[in-house]
């Protein structure tokens, strides 16, 4: 994508072209702050970036989300800037929801499919202006996005590297932002966006998040990243701000009932086996599909599958008896017939329930909703404790908090 | 081109390395006639020159070199025309056509004589599948059970 | 179900493009009582068979200069009469030795080669015609659809299988072995003679971006041999009245069926909403509604230009954009003040097809530069003298010469603008070598490169087959999986051009098959 300076000669050119292998793991714009705060030195790779699994204590980090304010680096999230006179029409063909209904300075959650109606990814779409959007997602999609642009007057630009992102989530997140001088942020309703001056530039703040709690996401150019972190950190001191890693966030997102691409479902481009792909209706995203709006990728296949009742799977929330997380447990019907698989499971600290997200093979989860069981293998000192536990299909989210939507948010 | 001593230094004396190159395209005949030693050396020189463009100083590091054109490959290991796959992997010589139609089941026209080289299905490369498949056919002819043969992959 | 009986609709079907396939589709639909409108952008119908005056007093009858695969079922069904009393011979010239002349259907008798060579050629020909006959069963019906193989498909498979078994196990094996071979290896198996090998190499690769030694190049020869003339595979002819009679015959058939043909009427857009086509908008803004739209144009024109890309899936447009459709053949029309004389060629054989190709190696070497965006400096070509069959094409005593010249890649590295004069000179020099003195009788020479063909006939890539006829773009993949079998991802929109199964050449099959498919009421 970036034009390279013409090399002096062929050998130098070859050397320059392979320099990327010398940086096998990238650092995010906030790395200097994260590494200073990391007590556990526990990192993982998020799309090639070094990201904290936890920074000091998984449990305390989780309670920062639910009790105070948690600061989470979302810079590795893949971000595309989509702009141009046809941007709305382009995105309307690309994604499932009706982008015409997405107002300026609003965000919506959406997903997109290939021609066969198989989900390529889910993500959030930010409408930053009449003709300017930002699409955030888990996987990289530039070839698909560029190929989709044929016939549209639209410019697509990946800005993952140049835009830094922070999620500030938790009951005192609004108070923290106000203390940091972002006055007016209290007026943001869920999925609203506003821009605020920061240093010589601006920071875009949206009332969004992955926690089902009161929370915000902030986007800023890479150069202003550290000063933004410091501004929040300073302001948040009296509001209990804590930096957190993914483990804590993952607990919160399961409570929220959110799914993660290539964790709770396999994306169409990642799936190697023919039966692993999923239609929106098979991963709980049927509500995103808008048959009334103009044509979009996968429309015909999705509607045909509904009409012909050829949908094969369904994604459900489960509540499981006991308190042992049923991670990757097999789900049975009548304790015998295999009915599906648990893709994510935790003991929910807030709901005080043993919860799980599971993918079931229809008609389980549709016709047969009772008599479901999960087989949990708990490895305890080199011995499996096998348990067959009753599971009940329950609605998601597992945790619903009034403060998530209350505007203006309460002051804590 | 591979340098196996980067993984297993015991293949060469300390500090020295072994490097192996497969070079495309090298026909079994040179303009219709057999390879000569001079042809072979000239071909080697061409290859070294090209490697040296990518790896300056390469030439000066060579302690010993062996060059095998299709002629040497045929003479040393009996691969006709030096074809490392024992026959082109094109559709007319694959599957039920490998090595030739009618004899693609590891059996030859002579009873009791079986074929299991790269020239048989599924073809060349270090994988052992032709030999394994041939063994299964032989067991079948001998009316011996072959259920003890393990599956190539339990899960793919 | 497609409805034709709605009285509120002025037309039951709109056919876009009045090429012979568009006309065949329209005629078939019209004959069933449907009200059909054909829209043609050019000022006269005929598509690539549209004739034109290329020099004062000299006319060319369009791109094709002979017929070798006009389907007898199509002509019988549509009442098209295009016949000739004489079969055209094929002469292969190397500019030096006595010509090799094949008479009858692809060499029933051969002059200029030994009896042994002629017999070897016949053996090979008969084998290939038998094998082509198996593939031929698939030409007259929509290609089978993966995941929806029907009884009729099974019947075709069964009859193909039965055809194989009847000939014995060896024939079946040989077919499965040879099917995807290259023509050079097959020719080497059967033949010794340079020019016979040259001929099959040329015929297999004409109009296709393959050299004789490229994998699967034999398919091109099979395709030729699926064509028949007067019941014989591999023949060729020019109808009475010349090639200029072909377009009018199709037009007449369409008009007889009540079809309305509007020329000079450019379609700007095919109207579609949420996967359903409902009409067209003309370039001048007029909207015409119809429940069935038949695109008898290049698939890329249909889906990348006429249909709003928003109405197609990204994967579908991607596959259409990846269609390999770069033309490789240049068409030369020459006006001559007299009938030329090719070296050692009998006068009567001048009325046949003349192939200039010395050897298989020459064909292969002519292909090599095309891979790198260069034209051949030693091209191979097929020549016909059209005015010998149709005197109206040239003034009295004068003559026209038409040549299809390989290889002339669509995307020329140096650009055709700059290089065309040089290529023309190379071709004319080649002609002079084979017909000494011809240069002095040239009144005018008009060369159409693939770039010109693209512009003149609105054919993306200037490819007369609307896309390479290779294994990856045939049958269930023609033009691409989701639009094979004449239906397309857009309901009510059908594809009926050479870009659809079975492919290009003047056969009438894509158009006729598409119409039959529409009439069958089969759901997409």
């Amino acid at each position: 994508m970036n034009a390279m300076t013409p090399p002096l000669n062929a050998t130098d050119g070859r050397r320059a072209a392979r320099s990327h292998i010398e940086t096998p793991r990238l650092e995010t714009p906030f790395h200097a702050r994260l590494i200073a705060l990391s007590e556990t030195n526990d990192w993982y790779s998020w799309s090639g970036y070094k990201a904290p699994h936890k920074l000091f204590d998984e449990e305390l980090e989780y309670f920062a989300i639910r009790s105070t304010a948690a600061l989470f680096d979302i810079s590795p999230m893949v971000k595309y800037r989509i702009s141009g006179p046809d941007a709305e029409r382009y995105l309307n063909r690309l994604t499932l929801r009706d982008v015409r209904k997405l107002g300026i300075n609003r965000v919506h959650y959406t997903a997109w499919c290939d021609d066969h109606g198989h989900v390529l990814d889910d993500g959030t779409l930010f409408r930053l202006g009449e003709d300017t959007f930002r699409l955030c997602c888990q996987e990289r999609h530039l070839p698909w996005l560029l190929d989709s642009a044929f016939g549209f007057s639209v410019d697509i630009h990946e800005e993952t590297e140049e835009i830094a992102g922070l999620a500030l989530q938790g009951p005192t997140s609004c108070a923290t932002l106000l203390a940091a001088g972002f006055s007016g942020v209290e007026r943001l309703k869920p999925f609203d966006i506003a821009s605020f001056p920061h240093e010589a530039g601006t920071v875009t703040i949206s009332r969004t998040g992955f926690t089902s709690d009161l929370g915000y996401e902030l986007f800023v150019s890479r150069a202003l990243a550290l000063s933004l972190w410091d501004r929040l950190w300073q302001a948040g001191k009296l509001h209990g701000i804590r930096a957190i890693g993914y483990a804590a966030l993952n607990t919160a997102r399961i409570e929220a009932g959110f799914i993660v691409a290539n964790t709770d479902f396999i994306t169409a481009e990642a799936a190697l086996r023919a039966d692993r792909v999923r239609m929106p209706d098979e991963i709980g995203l049927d509500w995103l599909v808008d048959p009334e709006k103009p044509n979009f990728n996968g429309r015909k296949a999705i509607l045909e599958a509904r009409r012909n009742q050829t949908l094969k799977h369904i994604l459900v929330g489960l509540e499981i008896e006991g308190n042992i997380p049923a991670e990757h447990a097999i789900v049975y019907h009548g304790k015998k017939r295999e009915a599906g698989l648990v893709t994510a499971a935790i003991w929910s600290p807030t709901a005080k329930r043993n919860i799980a997200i599971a993918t079931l093979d229809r008609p389980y989860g549709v016709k047969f909703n009772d008599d479901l069981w999960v087989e949990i293998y708990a490895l305890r000192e080199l011995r499996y404790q096998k348990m067959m536990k009753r599971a009940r299909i329950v609605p998601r989210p597992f945790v619903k908090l009034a403060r998530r939507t209350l505007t203006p948010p309460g002051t804590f | 081109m591979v340098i196996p001593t980067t993984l297993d230094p015991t293949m060469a004396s300390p500090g020295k390395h072994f490097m192996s190159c497969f070079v495309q395209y090298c026909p079994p005949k040179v303009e219709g006639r057999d390879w000569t030693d001079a042809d072979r050396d000239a071909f080697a020189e061409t290859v070294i020159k090209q490697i040296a463009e990518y790896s300056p100083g390469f030439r000066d590091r060579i302690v010993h070199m062996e060059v095998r054109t299709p002629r040497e490959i045929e003479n040393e290991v009996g691969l006709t025309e030096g074809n490392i796959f024992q026959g082109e992997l094109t559709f007319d010589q694959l599957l039920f056509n490998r090595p030739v139609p009618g004899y693609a089941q590891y059996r030859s026209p002579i009873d009791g004589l079986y074929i299991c080289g790269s020239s048989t299905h599924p073809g060349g490369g270090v994988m052992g599948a032709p030999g394994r498949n041939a063994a299964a056919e032989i067991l079948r002819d001998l009316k011996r059970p072959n259920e003890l043969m393990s599956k190539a992959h339990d899960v793919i | 179900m497609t409805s034709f009986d709605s009285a509120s609709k002025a037309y039951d079907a709109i056919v876009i493009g009045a090429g012979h396939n568009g006309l065949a589709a329209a005629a078939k639909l019209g004959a069933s009582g449907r009200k059909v409108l054909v829209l043609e952008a050019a000022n006269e119908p005929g598509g690539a068979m549209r004739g034109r005056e290329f020099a004062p007093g000299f006319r060319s009858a369009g791109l094709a200069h002979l017929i070798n695969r006009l389907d007898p079922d199509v002509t019988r069904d549509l009442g098209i009469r295009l016949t000739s009393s004489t079969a055209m011979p094929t002469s292969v010239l190397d500019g030096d030795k006595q010509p090799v002349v094949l008479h009858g259907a692809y060499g029933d008798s051969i002059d200029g080669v030994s009896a042994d060579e002629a017999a070897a050629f016949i053996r090979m020909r008969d084998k290939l015609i038998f094998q082509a006959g198996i593939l031929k069963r698939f030409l007259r019906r929509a290609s089978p659809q993966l995941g929806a193989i029907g009884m009729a498909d099974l019947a075709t498979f069964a009859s193909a299988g039965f055809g194989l078994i009847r000939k014995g196990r060896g024939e079946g094996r040989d077919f499965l072995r040879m099917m995807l071979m290259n023509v050079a290896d097959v020719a080497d198996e059967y033949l010794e003679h340079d020019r016979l090998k040259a001929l099959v190499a040329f015929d297999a690769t004409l109009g296709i971006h393959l050299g004789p030694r490229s994998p699967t190049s034999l398919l091109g020869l099979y395709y030729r041999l699926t064509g028949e003339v007067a019941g014989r595979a591999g023949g060729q002819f020019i109808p009475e009245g010349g090639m200029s009679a072909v377009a009018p015959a199709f037009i007449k058939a369409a008009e007889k069926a009540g079809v309305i043909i509007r020329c000079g009427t450019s379609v700007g857009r095919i109207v579609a909403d949420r996967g359903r086509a409902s009409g067209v908008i003309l370039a001048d803004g007029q909207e015409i509604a119809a429940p069935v739209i038949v695109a008898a144009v290049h698939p890329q024109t249909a889906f990348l230009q006429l249909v709003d890309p928003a109405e197609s899936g990204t994967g579908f447009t991607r596959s259409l954009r990846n269609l390999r459709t770069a033309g490789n053949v240049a068409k030369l029309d020459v006006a001559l003040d007299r009938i030329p004389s090719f070296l050692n060629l009998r006068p009567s054989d001048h009325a046949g097809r003349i192939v200039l190709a010395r050897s298989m190696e020459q064909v292969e070497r002519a292909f090599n530069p095309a891979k790198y965006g260069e034209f051949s400096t030693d091209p191979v070509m097929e020549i016909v003298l059209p005015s010998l069959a149709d005197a109206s094409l040239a003034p009295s005593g004068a003559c026209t010469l038409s040549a299809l010249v390989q290889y002339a890649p669509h995307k020329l590295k140096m650009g055709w603008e700059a290089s065309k004069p040089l290529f023309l000179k190379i071709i004319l020099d080649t002609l002079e070598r084979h017909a000494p003195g011809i240069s002095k009788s040239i009144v005018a020479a008009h060369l159409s490169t693939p770039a010109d063909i693209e512009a003149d006939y609105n054919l993306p890539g200037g490819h007369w087959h609307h896309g390479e006829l290779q294994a990856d773009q045939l049958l269930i993949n023609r033009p691409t999986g989701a639009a094979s079998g004449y239906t397309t991802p857009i309901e009510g929109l059908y594809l009926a051009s050479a870009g659809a199964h079975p492919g290009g050449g003047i056969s009438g099959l894509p158009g006729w098959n598409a119409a039959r498919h529409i009439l069958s009421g089969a759901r997409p």
Side-chain angles (χ1 to χ4, degrees):
Chain A
M1 276 182 297
N2 301 324
M4 254 178 27
T5 320
L8 292 173
N9 59 49
T11 309
D12 288 349
R14 284 192 295 267
R15 293 224 165 104
R18 70 179 182 221
S19 66
H20 67 283
I21 64 170
E22 289 158 17
T23 321
R25 193 151 298 173
L26 300 166
E27 292 174 358
T28 80
F30 300 110
H31 188 70
R33 296 297 177 269
L34 291 169
I35 202 151
L37 291 166
S38 175
E39 294 175 12
T40 56
N41 213 13
D42 183 4
W43 307 89
Y44 77 109
S45 171
W46 178 1
S47 300
Y49 288 88
K50 194 170 174 181
H53 183 252
K54 64 173 177 286
L55 287 167
F56 57 101
D57 182 285
E58 191 179 319
E59 217 166 294
L60 295 178
E61 288 171 37
Y62 165 80
F63 281 108
I65 300 174
R66 294 291 180 228
S67 306
T68 55
L71 193 55
F72 181 66
D73 177 8
I74 54 171
S75 304
M77 195 163 61
V78 180
K79 301 178 278 292
Y80 298 101
R81 172 74 61 126
I82 295 161
S83 54
D86 282 342
E88 180 190 271
R89 222 165 60 82
Y90 165 82
L91 285 162
N92 224 14
R93 190 282 209 105
L94 182 82
T95 62
L96 299 177
R97 287 179 85 174
D98 194 341
V99 181
R100 294 173 306 181
K101 293 180 183 163
L102 180 64
I104 295 172
N105 283 328
R106 291 283 293 165
V107 184
H108 72 200
Y109 171 67
T110 189
W112 51 104
C113 295
D114 63 14
D115 290 22
H116 310 290
H118 298 139
V119 178
L120 287 163
D121 210 344
D122 61 344
T124 43
L125 182 63
F126 293 65
R127 187 163 203 162
L128 304 174
E130 178 64 29
D131 295 334
T132 309
F133 296 83
R134 174 179 293 144
L135 185 64
C136 297
C137 49
Q138 179 72 12
E139 303 293 339
R140 291 194 146 76
H141 297 284
L142 197 59
W144 182 259
L145 297 186
L146 291 176
D147 280 354
S148 301
F150 175 83
F152 295 90
S153 177
V154 67
D155 183 63
I156 295 149
H157 172 77
E158 176 167 354
E159 55 182 17
T160 308
E161 259 300 274
E162 55 207 73
I163 301 293
L166 281 174
L168 183 67
Q169 304 280 310
T172 67
S173 55
C174 181
T176 299
L177 288 173
L178 288 173
F182 296 111
S183 70
V185 79
E186 73 282 3
R187 287 194 294 275
L188 290 182
K189 295 195 198 70
F191 299 109
D192 274 352
I193 305 171
S195 288
F196 297 87
H198 174 68
E199 307 261 292
T202 52
V203 52
T204 305
I205 303 182
S206 57
R207 187 162 166 192
T208 48
F210 210 47
T211 57
S212 201
D213 212 308
L214 172 63
Y216 300 84
E217 288 173 324
L218 300 85
F219 294 95
V220 72
S221 68
R222 189 181 182 97
L224 300 178
L226 290 179
S227 62
L228 177 67
W229 178 287
D230 294 341
R231 185 173 169 180
L232 297 177
W233 199 254
Q234 198 58 39
K237 273 188 176 160
L238 292 177
H239 299 282
I241 194 169
R242 291 280 181 276
I244 65 161
Y246 183 69
L249 184 85
N250 190 46
T251 304
R253 77 92 187 170
I254 296 171
E255 291 182 329
F258 291 137
I259 55 173
V260 175
N262 289 320
T263 297
D264 298 288
F265 71 98
I266 304 295
T267 60
E269 277 177 341
L272 299 176
R273 295 162 181 84
D275 62 342
R276 303 300 203 270
V277 291
R278 290 291 184 271
M279 287 190 150
D281 298 39
E282 296 176 322
I283 53 172
L285 301 184
D286 41 334
W287 62 280
L288 298 177
V289 178
D290 186 346
E292 302 308 315
K293 74 167 206 172
N295 184 63
F296 54 91
N297 278 333
R299 180 184 189 276
K300 189 177 179 181
I302 294 165
L303 298 187
E304 246 167 43
R306 287 181 179 179
R307 195 170 51 241
N308 301 333
Q309 300 189 323
T310 51
L311 294 162
K312 293 190 185 73
H313 311 275
I314 188 164
L315 188 130
V316 295
L318 293 181
E319 187 179 331
I320 297 160
E321 67 174 328
N323 56 14
I324 308 296
E327 209 167 11
H328 292 145
I330 295 175
V331 182
Y332 290 93
H333 180 254
K335 294 193 185 181
K336 275 209 296 285
R337 282 168 300 278
E338 225 176 275
L341 179 86
V342 170
T343 56
I346 49 161
W347 165 259
S348 163
T350 298
K352 307 281 186 266
R353 291 189 289 164
N354 196 22
I355 60 171
I357 296 170
T359 175
L360 301 185
D361 305 327
R362 296 179 190 228
Y364 302 112
V366 185
K367 215 165 123 194
F368 305 116
N369 292 337
D370 298 328
D371 206 11
L372 292 176
W373 301 79
V374 294
E375 187 173 37
I376 303 171
Y377 281 60
L379 189 63
R380 296 290 182 270
E381 296 177 332
L382 293 186
R383 173 164 289 184
Y384 275 117
Q385 303 283 131
K386 276 199 292 182
M387 287 159 275
M388 192 62 102
K389 295 287 187 186
R390 189 176 280 281
R392 200 161 53 84
I393 295 177
V394 295
R396 292 175 293 146
F398 302 97
V399 169
K400 209 167 176 178
L401 299 165
R403 62 175 178 258
R404 188 185 80 83
T405 50
L406 191 68
T407 310
T411 45
F412 299 100
Chain B
M1 162 184 325
V2 292
I3 308 171
T5 41
T6 56
L7 297 174
D8 179 5
T10 65
M11 290 175 73
S13 34
K16 302 286 191 290
H17 280 280
F18 166 68
M19 178 170 139
S20 160
C21 304
F22 272 14
V23 186
Q24 284 269 63
Y25 292 87
C26 188
K29 300 237 179 200
V30 182
E31 289 170 347
R33 59 172 172 77
D34 289 333
W35 281 83
T36 63
D37 290 353
D39 292 330
R40 180 193 60 202
D41 296 345
F43 186 65
E45 173 54 28
T46 305
V47 173
I48 288 165
K49 194 159 159 268
Q50 191 171 351
I51 296 172
E53 276 174 34
Y54 286 76
S55 174
F58 174 78
R59 184 188 299 273
D60 303 330
R61 297 181 184 186
I62 299 173
V63 179
H64 171 80
M65 178 172 76
E66 290 178 10
V67 185
R68 291 181 174 81
T69 70
R71 175 184 68 159
E72 282 76 24
I73 294 174
E74 172 162 335
N75 290 344
E76 291 176 22
V77 288
L79 286 169
T80 48
E81 295 189 305
N83 188 308
I84 56 168
F85 293 140
Q86 295 185 356
E88 281 288 299
L89 291 168
T90 50
F91 183 78
D92 55 312
Q93 300 187 155
L94 281 179
L95 299 164
F96 41 83
N97 292 325
R98 192 161 188 87
V100 291
Y103 297 98
Q105 305 294 325
Y106 307 98
R107 294 171 189 82
S108 73
I110 298 156
D111 269 355
L113 176 60
Y114 294 82
I115 41 178
C116 69
S118 294
S119 70
T120 57
H121 173 77
V126 183
M127 64 174 147
R132 181 191 180 280
N133 293 351
E137 292 306 310
I138 293 167
L139 287 172
R140 191 199 301 266
D141 286 356
L142 295 175
K143 300 196 166 39
R144 296 276 177 83
N146 67 4
E147 58 263 28
L148 289 178
M149 291 182 72
S150 61
K151 280 194 212 161
H153 304 276
D154 282 321
V155 176
I156 295 179
Chain C
M1 190 69 73
T2 308
S3 157
F4 286 103
D5 50 19
S6 163
S8 62
K9 297 258 171 28
Y11 295 102
D12 296 315
I14 294 171
V15 177
I16 304 169
H20 79 286
N21 277 314
L23 294 168
K28 181 72 186 161
L29 291 172
S32 74
R34 271 70 174 173
K35 202 164 171 209
V36 183
L37 172 68
V38 178
L39 298 172
E40 168 58 48
N43 286 324
E44 48 179 320
M49 288 185 308
R50 220 157 53 225
R52 64 165 160 194
E53 190 172 62
F54 67 93
F58 292 88
R59 285 187 64 80
S60 157
L63 274 187
H65 57 203
L66 53 80
I67 288 178
N68 60 15
R69 56 180 317 101
L70 186 59
D71 192 89
D73 281 1
V74 174
T75 51
R76 198 179 311 119
D77 186 44
L78 302 181
I80 290 170
R81 283 190 57 79
L82 286 166
T83 50
S84 165
S85 46
T86 48
M88 285 171 90
T90 293
S91 306
V92 193
L93 274 58
D94 66 357
D96 172 25
K97 295 185 277 294
Q98 284 295 321
V100 170
V101 185
L102 285 76
H103 298 283
Y106 220 62
D108 288 340
S109 67
I110 307 176
D111 299 342
V113 300
S114 71
D116 283 353
E117 268 299 314
F121 185 86
I122 300 285
R123 265 201 309 282
M124 181 189 75
R125 180 199 74 166
D126 289 352
K127 163 128 346 201
L128 294 177
I129 287 177
F130 166 71
Q131 296 180 346
I134 293 163
L135 298 172
K136 193 171 172 172
R137 295 169 212 270
F138 293 94
L139 299 193
R140 284 185 195 147
R141 41 175 291 109
S143 62
Q145 297 298 296
L146 278 187
I149 305 275
M151 283 310 289
D153 294 315
L154 291 177
T156 309
F157 285 127
S159 77
F162 182 69
L164 276 173
I165 294 163
R166 211 184 39 196
K167 279 278 225 168
R169 208 182 173 129
E171 286 297 334
R173 277 192 180 132
D174 241 13
F175 175 58
L176 293 174
R177 177 181 71 96
M178 290 169 70
M179 202 165 54
L180 296 179
M181 273 178 79
N182 71 62
V183 68
D185 283 343
V186 174
D188 280 339
E189 278 184 26
Y190 283 87
L191 306 173
E192 297 282 342
H193 195 280
D194 272 350
R195 269 166 297 157
L196 286 178
K197 286 190 190 181
L199 176 69
V200 293
F202 178 83
D203 283 346
T205 54
L206 181 62
I208 300 173
H209 184 74
L210 290 178
R213 292 210 173 277
S214 310
T216 73
S217 63
L218 186 65
L219 285 176
L221 193 54
Y222 283 142
Y223 190 68
R224 169 177 283 264
L225 295 177
T226 57
E228 62 179 77
V229 167
R232 299 289 311 279
Q236 61 213 350
F237 74 106
I238 293 177
E240 277 157 27
M243 291 301 288
S244 324
V246 179
F250 277 89
I251 295 163
K252 216 176 93 189
E255 284 174 343
K256 210 178 80 194
V259 172
I260 297 163
I261 304 171
R262 267 173 71 181
C263 292
T265 311
S266 200
V267 172
R269 181 122 284 190
I270 294 170
V271 185
D273 179 30
R274 282 168 288 182
R276 181 78 178 82
S278 58
V280 299
I281 300 175
L282 303 183
D284 65 12
Q286 191 197 340
E287 191 164 345
I288 310 175
V292 170
I293 311 295
V294 182
V297 294
H298 193 289
Q300 288 185 337
T301 308
F303 291 101
L304 302 183
Q305 291 174 30
L306 297 183
V307 174
D308 181 351
E311 285 298 325
S312 300
T314 297
F316 181 61
T317 49
R318 175 153 69 185
S319 65
L320 280 169
R321 289 169 69 210
N322 288 339
L323 208 65
R324 296 181 304 123
T325 183
N328 246 313
V329 186
K331 168 76 191 304
L332 175 70
D333 287 304
V334 188
L336 300 165
D337 64 13
R338 76 192 72 143
I339 296 170
S341 177
F342 282 85
L343 265 183
N344 302 329
L345 192 65
R346 283 188 310 207
S348 61
D349 292 335
H350 279 76
R353 174 169 79 118
I354 301 164
V355 175
L356 307 187
R358 296 188 298 278
S359 63
M360 200 150 71
E361 178 163 324
Q362 190 202 351
V363 182
E364 186 71 41
R365 286 189 184 275
F367 172 59
N368 285 345
K371 293 187 281 193
Y372 311 106
E374 293 157 17
F375 56 69
S376 168
T377 53
D378 184 17
V380 289
M381 65 189 82
E382 169 187 285
I383 294 164
V384 163
L385 304 175
S387 62
L388 297 187
D390 177 5
S392 73
L393 295 175
S396 166
C399 185
T400 60
L401 178 149
S402 163
L404 298 174
V405 188
Q406 289 253 82
Y407 290 83
H410 172 251
K411 282 241 180 320
L412 198 69
K413 218 187 296 172
M414 303 294 289
W416 277 114
E417 194 96 6
S419 308
K420 201 162 125 175
L422 177 59
F423 192 48
L424 178 60
K425 183 177 181 309
I426 287 168
I427 300 168
L428 295 181
D429 288 350
T430 309
L431 286 177
E432 176 66 26
R433 273 206 310 282
H434 288 83
I438 195 172
S439 306
K440 287 200 269 318
S441 68
I442 294 176
V443 178
H446 184 271
L447 181 66
S448 293
T449 67
D452 299 321
I453 294 170
E454 174 170 40
D456 292 348
Y457 298 103
N458 194 17
L459 274 181
H463 200 298
W464 62 16
H465 285 300
H466 295 201
E468 282 289 300
L469 274 181
Q470 293 187 34
D472 59 320
Q473 297 189 165
L474 286 178
L475 293 163
I476 57 167
N477 288 318
R478 190 157 190 88
T480 179
S484 66
Y486 311 109
T487 54
T488 71
I490 294 172
E491 216 180 313
L493 175 60
Y494 299 84
L495 189 67
S497 64
H501 171 76
I506 299 168
S507 71
L509 279 171
W512 187 67
N513 281 353
R516 289 196 305 157
H517 186 72
I518 294 165
L519 294 173
S520 76
R523 285 200 66 89

